[in-house]
Amino acid sequence: MFFPVAISTSAVVPAQTAEAPMPPRAKPDPNAPTAAGSDQIINLLDREPEPLFSDVELPYAPASRSVATGTGDGLDQGALYLMAKLTRDSKPLDDGLIWRIYSEAANANGRLELVATSMGGDAEFRLNPGAYLVHTAYGYAQSTNRVVIGQDVQSKMLTLNAGGIKFGAAMKDGDGIDESQVTFDVYGMTFDERGERNKIVGDIAPGAIVRLNADTYHVVSRYGDVNAVIRADIQVLPGKLTEATILHKAADITLKLVNERGGEAIANTTWSVLSAGGHVVVEATGAFPDFVLAAGEYEALARNNGKTYLHNFEVAPGQDREVEVVTAVSELETQETTSSN
């Protein structure tokens, strides 16, 4: 089931002001075209849309940069200067990036060794000659590339090909919803050998913005903790913010066991809510159990003091209400007569 999606251009975040050592020459020009360089850079994620790394050799111009940790200062090292864009034509990102440099060869434990990290916008590293893996993260948008370092200065511009989703929720008729009870999970589109999707991020609150690689994602929205679940496939466009509003069909229901209509709720009651097909939807204990239930027909089963009471009820979208189960024999007879008619 698909829902309204509005698209707008994503905003640019403020620049970092922390200082790091300047390379002796050459950094990417933010306005330069991102044509592929002469040195082949291997994209380990096998993403097709456009080159991730490009070489742009221009005179160095000072700029605010993020601070890199784990870098050396030996004279025999090479310098690697990195910048990133969301798309080929967008401006470089000046905040929100995490750069990680790994050695290509595994250590004695069979793991890649983390050589250096940097957070913020553009970054520079002083590295010993050799092959490295550059992992870049912008929210949940990620890229991994291979680079070979010598004793020279290299400048690389990374194109993430990423965008974002801003989540919202409402009732089917456009009425408001208790957003404190709504969450979103984002999954990939493919299934593993067990028939399950890979969860990318979960428990996202309405209004939150999630940065992702440009692709189509399976989004699951939950209203409450029972069965009010809506699914949708949503496309993230590079350089765009996709606003996705999920329309729910559910209501908040409070159950009460009473001796007469409008009476006080009876404590120490055990509850089961059954679907129209007789399957248990949710169980609880107490005088006022409260659930968000998907629209449909249900049967409430209340147990108290060794006796069981049944009551059929219907949930209409957006119509929060109390459902009373009455213990009076006359009331039960009336319910049975109405049901049989």
Side-chain angles (χ1 to χ4, degrees), residues 5-25:
V5 176
I7 298 176
S8 60
T9 303
S10 55
V12 179
V13 291
Q16 293 284 307
T17 57
E19 290 297 326
M22 279 196 255
R25 62 182 177 84

Side-chain angles (χ1 to χ4, degrees), residues 3-8 10 86 138-141 162-168 184-189 200-201 204-220 232-246:
F3 299 90
V5 176
I7 298 176
S8 60
S10 55
L86 286 178
Y138 184 62
Y140 291 91
I165 305 178
K166 181 178 181 180
F167 292 100
F184 301 87
D185 297 334
V186 179
Y187 295 84
M189 294 297 292
I200 298 171
V201 54
I204 306 165
I209 296 176
V210 180
R211 299 159 176 165
L212 295 162
N213 293 110
D215 206 342
T216 300
Y217 297 89
H218 186 74
V219 176
V220 178
D233 294 340
I234 298 175
Q235 185 179 16
V236 174
L237 300 175
K240 302 291 184 180
L241 177 64
T242 299
E243 297 189 19
T245 300
I246 303 297

Side-chain angles (χ1 to χ4, degrees), residues 5-71:
V5 176
I7 298 176
S8 60
T9 303
S10 55
V12 179
V13 291
Q16 293 284 307
T17 57
E19 290 297 326
M22 279 196 255
R25 62 182 177 84
K27 68 168 272 185
D29 179 3
N31 300 315
T34 57
S38 56
D39 295 331
Q40 179 67 29
I41 302 299
I42 301 175
N43 174 18
L44 301 184
L45 297 184
D46 295 326
R47 297 211 346 256
E48 296 284 342
E50 50 192 59
L52 294 180
F53 269 161
S54 65
D55 299 331
V56 184
E57 299 292 338
L58 293 170
Y60 182 85
S64 60
R65 297 175 309 283
S66 55
V67 176
T69 60
T71 57

